[in-house]
């Protein structure tokens, strides 16, 4: 599931940001994900059915998300 955010606070992250968060993360609760994304000028928050390490539990899915992200933002580098 993807949620998009646009921050209005002047102290925001100004580069496009992708956040991949595990719904069952026991270390960093779900309540932290949306405020983290809200601190970014342009953020995409992806919720995965994982614990704290989405890249270890769903490596193919995370790789697909990262590959698509880099393809969309390649012109920025």
């Amino acid at each position: 599931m993807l949620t998009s955010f646009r921050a209005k606070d002047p102290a925001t992250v100004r580069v496009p940001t992708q956040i991949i968060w595990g719904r069952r993360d026991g270390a960093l609760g779900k309540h932290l994900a949306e405020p983290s994304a809200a601190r970014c000028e342009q953020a995409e928050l992806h919720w995965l059915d994982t614990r704290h390490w989405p890249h270890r539990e769903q490596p193919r899915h995370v790789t697909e998300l990262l590959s698509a992200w880099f393809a969309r933002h390649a012109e920025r580098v």
Side-chain angles (χ1 to χ4, degrees), residues 24-64:
R24 297 180 286 122
D25 190 330
L28 300 173
K30 292 190 302 185
H31 67 283
L32 298 173
E34 290 183 0
S36 295
R39 306 255 337 140
C40 303
E41 189 172 270
Q42 181 185 358
E44 290 182 11
L45 173 57
H46 298 270
W47 292 99
L48 275 61
D49 186 30
T50 64
R51 293 178 301 269
H52 187 65
W53 305 106
H55 64 288
R56 293 190 63 148
E57 294 178 48
Q58 294 185 10
R60 286 189 179 128
H61 191 177
V62 171
T63 299
E64 289 170 3

